[in-house]
Amino acid sequence: LVRASGKLALLDRLLPALRDKGHRVLIFSQCKIMLDIREDYARAADFSYERVDGDVTGARRQAAIDRYCDTSPSAPRPLLMLLSTRAGGVGITLVEADTVVLFDSDFNPQNDEQAMARCHRIGQTRPVKVYRLVAARTYEAKLCAAANRKLGLDRAVLGGGAHKLGSAGGAGAGARGGGDEKGGRPVSGASGGAFSAFEVGPALSLSL
């Protein structure tokens, strides 16, 4: 499963490092079928998780959120929350997480902005990091470039949006990590773009 996807290969290196450092992670994807793959991966890797998408509604949805946000000493504190960008990106506060992974980008950049804001809310006490995974040399890279231009125009006209995203190259799957205040700095993969285990550290150091 991991070898079939550059993004999953990168995620497979990032998540253990994030877990060991005490971080908790929101993973967003546009498509429920992609969340099914993330769920299979989480089970295989023995990562605890909750899931919210368009099929998880009402009491089940609230119960998943409550379990993830439970801070009591006996709470399981799942590492991951798997969310669809549309269903899970609006109206939810998840300040127990401090890391966001945008596994695939929405064609409307405002939807991704809303997704990032789920843990960047009142009550958040830790710095928030955002990793946007982008496959190199695909339509996705062009989509993200167009989305960034649109966001730049929005911010110039409206002064909106507090997020600054930098970029980190990687694995046939580039990772756009949370950038620094100057817009981030690239982290190059070895031999033409493949991430090695030793290159995850620099990617993790990127912060908003």
Side-chain angles (χ1 to χ4, degrees):
L1 185 63
V2 171
R3 291 180 181 178
S5 167
K7 290 186 180 183
L8 262 184
L10 176 57
L11 204 63
D12 192 50
R13 291 175 169 87
L14 282 174
L15 289 180
L18 290 169
R19 179 186 57 190
D20 293 346
K21 292 184 178 182
H23 298 290
R24 299 178 71 193
V25 185
L26 309 180
I27 299 180
F28 286 93
S29 180
Q30 292 186 68
C31 306
K32 289 187 293 182
I33 192 170
M34 296 300 291
L35 290 180
D36 293 340
I37 296 172
R38 303 293 84 71
E39 193 169 7
D40 289 344
Y41 165 73
R43 288 200 195 102
D46 198 26
F47 293 134
S48 56
Y49 69 93
E50 295 291 341
R51 174 171 172 168
V52 171
D53 59 40
D55 289 338
V56 181
T57 59
R60 289 174 56 218
R61 174 187 174 102
Q62 189 58 51
I65 294 169
D66 290 345
R67 285 192 297 269
Y68 191 81
C69 294
D70 191 351
T71 57
S72 62
S74 60
R77 295 178 60 81
L79 170 67
L80 306 177
M81 175 66 95
L82 308 178
L83 306 111
S84 61
T85 305
R86 302 295 179 88
V90 178
I92 300 177
T93 297
L94 295 167
V95 294
E96 291 305 310
D98 62 356
T99 304
V100 177
V101 175
L102 299 174
F103 198 86
D104 47 66
S105 298
D106 197 286
F107 68 90
N108 181 353
Q110 294 299 337
N111 291 332
D112 287 341
E113 291 277 297
Q114 286 291 326
M116 290 181 239
R118 292 314 93 207
C119 64
H120 211 294
R121 313 290 285 179
I122 293 173
Q124 179 59 266
T125 58
R126 294 171 292 177
V128 174
K129 293 185 179 182
V130 178
Y131 297 92
R132 183 191 299 272
L133 307 188
V134 181
R137 297 181 294 279
T138 66
Y139 81 93
E140 189 177 34
K142 295 181 180 179
L143 183 150
C144 286
N148 284 336
R149 288 194 297 270
K150 184 178 186 301
L151 278 179
L153 180 61
D154 288 348
R155 288 167 180 160
V157 174
L158 304 175
H163 302 287
K164 295 183 177 65
L165 291 183
S167 63
R176 289 187 177 271
D180 59 20
E181 289 302 317
K182 295 181 180 178
R185 50 195 180 278
V187 179
S188 300
S191 63
F195 261 97
S196 73
F198 300 102
E199 291 166 328
V200 173
L204 287 173
S205 70
L206 296 173
S207 61
L208 287 177

